[in-house]
Amino acid sequence: MTTRTTSRLTTKGRATRDRIVATASTLMLERGVARTTIEDIQHAAQVSASQLYHYFRDKNALVMAVIDHQTDQVLGVQHQGLDQLDSFAALRKWRDLVVGILKEVNCVGGCPLGSLASDLAETDPLARARLAKSFALWEELLRAGLAAMRERGELRAEADTDDLALAMLSAVQGGLLLSQVRRETRPLEVAMDSMLDHIRTYAG
Amino acid sequence: MTTRTTSRLTTKGRATRDRIVATASTLMLERGVARTTIEDIQHAAQVSASQLYHYFRDKNALVMAVIDHQTDQVLGVQHQGLDQLDSFAALRKWRDLVVGILKEVNCVGGCPLGSLASDLAETDPLARARLAKSFALWEELLRAGLAAMRERGELRAEADTDDLALAMLSAVQGGLLLSQVRRETRPLEVAMDSMLDHIRTYAG
């Protein structure tokens, strides 16, 4: 997701903007959006107020850019795992990728999109709508992968890939949240493995 | 979960304390913890600063009371649905109960415990530990219900009720989050129904 503003920037301008967004992302995910002030971001990104306001008219604009940034990050990883999805082995490899990332960060932070969604859903309707779109893109990657498996005969024709994709995304989100709370990977592992077992009942 | 303080209060004192906690819960779940000030709570609960500080030494103490309050509320409902869990029909009735509550609130707010967990996990280690305990109680209700089904022969002996309970709780949490983002019950329904199908593969 690239905003129209970005395309008009010079290389240096774009680098400054990217640094502001990356810094805002880190702070907002560590502390929550409300606990992060424009001043905190300015200070951490080492930019002046006028520089920051040159790129973002207010905190809301920055929140939207953070959502886009995190969507790019999360979907980037998910593309890695899901673009070649055509077998149960590939599905299992994707599961290991997601669990592996959680292990690397010691179960800290939860899913960036899930955290932003929970933080903003009731206070910022535009952010909620934007995050709904991000989740829809992720779900579509899963759906397309499962549909590819069905076309190859790995899944039977009656497998509802819409439902399976949505159920798997829910399991991933719930598993990540419980893993964040417990600081252990088991919730995510058990949630994903159970959903994989469920998908396997449709094996062709 | 009742704190030691509560038991020493007069009836009137307890009513005031309860009103403060209920008000704080509503505000913190609507806006998030960081967006809710002590002054907001004071004003909404119509108590003076000295009254509020008589019951809670600081905002942290109030956050802990809100976690306990929401734990009581959520587990109260879950007891309703899970205490008699001894058949697939009862499990389905519990599913309808959870989906029905979500419908009543038009998918607004998500799970109170999930929202508090996402809000506080990275900024308040004590709150995170307390919420981990709340989720463990919920998971135990599910586990006990599934174990009762296994004892009656509704589930086969090899059914791992620990894993099934944790997977179902993850599905509920992820489904509630996605339903909150989309303002529709479908994510929760599909997530729970898929996990019910998975549990049914262990039918005795």
Side-chain angles (χ1 to χ4, degrees):
Chain A
M1 288 194 204
T2 315
T3 55
R4 262 171 301 167
T5 328
T6 319
S7 55
R8 281 194 242 109
L9 299 178
T10 61
T11 311
K12 202 185 152 198
R14 184 186 290 257
T16 306
R17 187 189 181 280
D18 288 352
R19 191 168 82 246
I20 296 169
V21 174
T23 307
S25 287
T26 305
L27 294 179
M28 286 178 179
L29 284 168
E30 266 174 25
R31 312 174 182 177
V33 172
R35 294 179 193 90
T36 307
T37 65
I38 288 269
E39 289 70 35
D40 293 338
I41 297 163
Q42 236 181 269
H43 186 78
Q46 297 189 283
V47 292
S48 67
S50 69
Q51 270 180 301
L52 193 144
Y53 285 108
H54 173 70
Y55 299 105
F56 304 98
R57 70 181 174 286
D58 55 19
K59 190 174 167 184
N60 279 347
L62 205 38
V63 166
M64 290 302 176
V66 165
I67 292 174
D68 291 351
H69 176 67
Q70 288 300 332
T71 300
D72 288 345
Q73 300 271 347
V74 170
L75 289 185
V77 172
Q78 294 302 311
H79 270 292
Q80 249 186 72
L82 294 173
D83 280 353
Q84 308 302 322
L85 200 63
D86 51 11
S87 65
F88 280 101
L91 204 54
R92 172 77 202 186
K93 232 175 121 178
W94 165 71
R95 175 266 192 216
D96 290 344
L97 173 76
V98 177
V99 171
I101 293 168
L102 186 67
K103 250 178 216 160
E104 264 175 41
V105 298
N106 296 314
C107 302
V108 171
C111 171
L113 298 179
S115 299
L116 288 168
S118 186
D119 192 342
L120 296 164
E122 304 312 332
T123 53
D124 187 339
L126 292 179
R128 183 177 65 70
R130 200 142 175 149
L131 284 158
K133 230 182 253 179
S134 304
F135 281 119
L137 291 171
W138 188 349
E139 190 182 337
E140 175 53 26
L141 285 185
L142 272 164
R143 202 204 54 73
L146 293 167
M149 286 176 65
R150 192 176 54 191
E151 267 159 49
R152 288 165 55 105
E154 300 256 345
L155 290 174
R156 294 196 306 281
E158 82 237 38
D160 185 329
T161 52
D162 290 352
D163 280 5
L164 292 178
L166 182 54
M168 180 54 100
L169 184 59
S170 301
V172 170
Q173 286 300 314
L176 282 169
L177 177 66
L178 292 176
S179 284
Q180 180 184 16
V181 173
R182 297 203 192 165
R183 298 292 195 235
E184 55 169 27
T185 54
R186 191 176 159 252
L188 179 66
E189 291 180 40
V190 170
M192 290 185 83
D193 290 345
S194 301
M195 215 46 97
L196 287 178
D197 282 348
H198 175 59
I199 295 174
R200 248 178 239 114
T201 62
Y202 293 97
Chain B
M1 288 196 208
T2 316
T3 55
R4 262 171 302 166
T5 329
T6 319
S7 55
R8 283 194 239 110
L9 299 178
T10 61
T11 310
K12 203 184 152 198
R14 184 185 290 256
T16 306
R17 186 188 183 280
D18 288 351
R19 192 168 81 246
I20 296 170
V21 173
T23 306
S25 287
T26 304
L27 294 179
M28 286 178 179
L29 284 168
E30 267 175 24
R31 311 175 183 176
V33 172
R35 294 180 194 90
T36 307
T37 65
I38 288 270
E39 290 71 33
D40 293 338
I41 297 163
Q42 236 180 267
H43 185 78
Q46 298 190 282
V47 294
S48 67
S50 70
Q51 269 180 300
L52 194 143
Y53 285 108
H54 173 70
Y55 299 104
F56 304 98
R57 72 180 174 286
D58 54 19
K59 190 174 166 185
N60 279 349
L62 204 38
V63 167
M64 291 300 178
V66 165
I67 293 174
D68 290 351
H69 176 68
Q70 288 301 331
T71 301
D72 287 345
Q73 299 271 345
V74 170
L75 289 184
V77 172
Q78 294 301 312
H79 270 291
Q80 249 186 72
L82 294 173
D83 280 353
Q84 308 301 321
L85 200 62
D86 51 11
S87 65
F88 281 101
L91 203 53
R92 171 78 201 186
K93 235 176 119 177
W94 165 70
R95 176 265 190 216
D96 291 344
L97 173 77
V98 177
V99 172
I101 292 169
L102 186 67
K103 251 179 214 160
E104 265 174 42
V105 297
N106 297 312
C107 303
V108 170
C111 171
L113 298 180
S115 299
L116 288 168
S118 186
D119 192 343
L120 296 165
E122 304 313 331
T123 53
D124 186 338
L126 292 179
R128 184 177 64 70
R130 198 138 173 155
L131 284 158
K133 229 182 252 179
S134 304
F135 281 120
L137 291 171
W138 188 349
E139 191 181 336
E140 174 54 26
L141 285 184
L142 271 164
R143 201 203 55 73
L146 292 167
M149 285 177 64
R150 193 175 53 190
E151 266 159 48
R152 288 165 54 105
E154 299 257 345
L155 291 174
R156 293 195 306 280
E158 82 237 38
D160 185 327
T161 52
D162 289 352
D163 280 4
L164 292 177
L166 181 54
M168 180 55 100
L169 184 58
S170 301
V172 170
Q173 286 300 315
L176 282 169
L177 177 66
L178 292 176
S179 283
Q180 180 184 17
V181 172
R182 297 203 191 165
R183 299 292 195 234
E184 55 170 26
T185 54
R186 191 176 159 254
L188 179 66
E189 291 180 41
V190 170
M192 291 185 82
D193 289 346
S194 301
M195 215 48 97
L196 286 178
D197 282 349
H198 175 59
I199 296 173
R200 247 177 239 116
T201 61
Y202 293 97

